[in-house]
Amino acid sequence: MRFDVITLFPEQFRILSGEGVVARALGSGIAELHLWNPRDFALGAHRRVDDRPYGGGPGMVMLFEPLAAAIAAARAASPGAQVAYLSPQGRTLDQQAMIDFASAPGWILLAGRYEGIDERLLASCIDQEWSIGDYVLSGGELPAMVVMDAVIRLLPGALGHERSACEDSHMNGLLDCPHFSRPEQIDGLRVPEVLLSGDHGAIARWRRQQALGRTWLRRPDLLAKMTLDNDEQQLLQDFIQARQA
Ligand SMILES: Nc1nonc1C(=O)NCC1CCCCC1
């Protein structure tokens, strides 16, 4: 999958070529990243990319023309790609959105800075507006990297042969189960016996029950969206009763 990112700070994306799933995917061609700096499309002697807001007020607004020109160049280089603007005003992303993103031919991600972008871009050049959460960051670069990370791990081959993203939490609508590793006991805290049993069926049931139970405890809103089969309903009931005992 091709990602084109429009950003005033392209050097921030160097972190993606470091190590890990995203770096391997970029290195192996599973994903590709192209960076476009609006300053390269800014006109005039001072190559301005921002200016004061009409109506007054603090800060600066990113100018229409350099961004529109950068978006047009990215669209020409990535036919069929959709343009997504990352901002707190967008629709909040969840795992299903990332799954939908992963099936697209490519994405052009616009990373805003300052007080934001000229609103007319949303009507003329931008296809979607997305938020990674209800808080305000200094720029759209980290949100763009968050989207890239969440999408790339869903691409075939990105996680390697040993596992697939479908085992990730939220992929099945639930929070993840607890994880343990060596030693079996530390500070008086033991690993749950079932995980030491070698009974893979019992381990899988325990993990499913823990995912159901933790989602019930911490994110009942997610559970409310799910339809549990009879076995899952029983697992959850047993979890709840064990807690109330
Ligand atoms: N939250 C977010 N989700 O996606 N982006 C977010 C953000 O906080 N972005 C920074 C703002 C800063 C001012 C310009 C526009 C982007």
Side-chain angles (χ1 to χ4, degrees):
M1 174 177 286
R2 176 170 172 146
F3 289 91
D4 290 77
V5 180
I6 297 169
T7 171
L8 287 171
F9 301 104
E11 68 281 359
Q12 289 199 3
F13 289 81
R14 198 172 300 134
I15 192 173
L16 295 182
S17 53
E19 51 193 348
V21 171
V22 174
R24 282 200 307 272
L26 291 171
S28 65
I30 289 173
E32 50 183 287
L33 173 59
H34 301 266
L35 299 165
W36 304 82
N37 191 330
R39 201 170 299 282
D40 297 334
F41 298 87
L43 306 174
H46 302 291
R47 300 177 63 197
R48 292 201 68 131
V49 293
D50 65 308
D51 207 334
R52 289 173 294 111
Y54 281 121
M60 305 292 269
V61 174
M62 294 183 79
L63 293 172
F64 183 97
E65 284 149 319
L67 287 177
I71 289 170
R75 282 190 189 274
S78 183
Q82 291 256 298
V83 179
Y85 174 48
L86 285 311
S87 92
Q89 284 69 46
R91 179 184 151 207
T92 303
L93 289 170
D94 58 10
Q95 190 64 15
Q96 187 53 54
M98 302 300 184
I99 294 167
D100 296 342
F101 270 33
S103 60
W107 285 97
I108 298 167
L109 303 178
L110 174 53
R113 279 276 162 172
Y114 313 126
E115 297 304 309
I117 65 173
D118 188 299
E119 186 69 15
R120 290 167 288 189
L121 285 157
L122 287 152
S124 60
C125 310
I126 292 168
D127 301 308
Q128 301 186 33
E129 188 173 10
W130 292 98
S131 169
I132 63 166
D134 293 334
Y135 38 81
V136 179
L137 303 170
S138 310
E141 284 77 13
L142 287 175
M145 286 186 246
V146 164
V147 169
M148 286 181 63
D149 189 306
V151 170
I152 285 173
R153 61 182 293 112
L154 296 173
L155 299 177
L159 291 182
H161 65 281
E162 71 280 359
R163 66 185 295 278
S164 71
C166 68
E167 297 165 13
D168 282 349
S169 68
H170 287 286
M171 279 300 283
N172 50 25
L174 296 174
L175 300 184
D176 204 1
C177 63
H179 299 282
F180 300 85
S181 187
R182 293 180 296 107
E184 286 186 19
Q185 175 164 319
I186 188 165
D187 293 347
L189 301 169
R190 285 194 55 75
V191 171
E193 286 304 323
V194 65
L195 297 180
L196 308 173
S197 68
D199 179 341
H200 296 295
I203 291 168
R205 285 177 61 78
W206 181 86
R207 285 174 170 165
R208 186 72 176 165
Q209 182 177 50
Q210 289 295 311
L212 287 162
R214 281 157 71 121
T215 308
W216 175 75
L217 281 170
R218 303 180 191 183
R219 291 295 304 276
D221 59 302
L222 296 178
L223 203 59
K225 296 176 188 173
M226 296 195 64
T227 304
L228 303 183
D229 63 29
N230 292 337
D231 186 41
E232 289 168 330
Q233 289 177 37
Q234 189 57 57
L235 282 174
L236 181 54
Q237 280 311 312
D238 294 348
F239 178 93
I240 295 168
Q241 283 165 12
R243 279 181 62 85
Q244 290 165 349

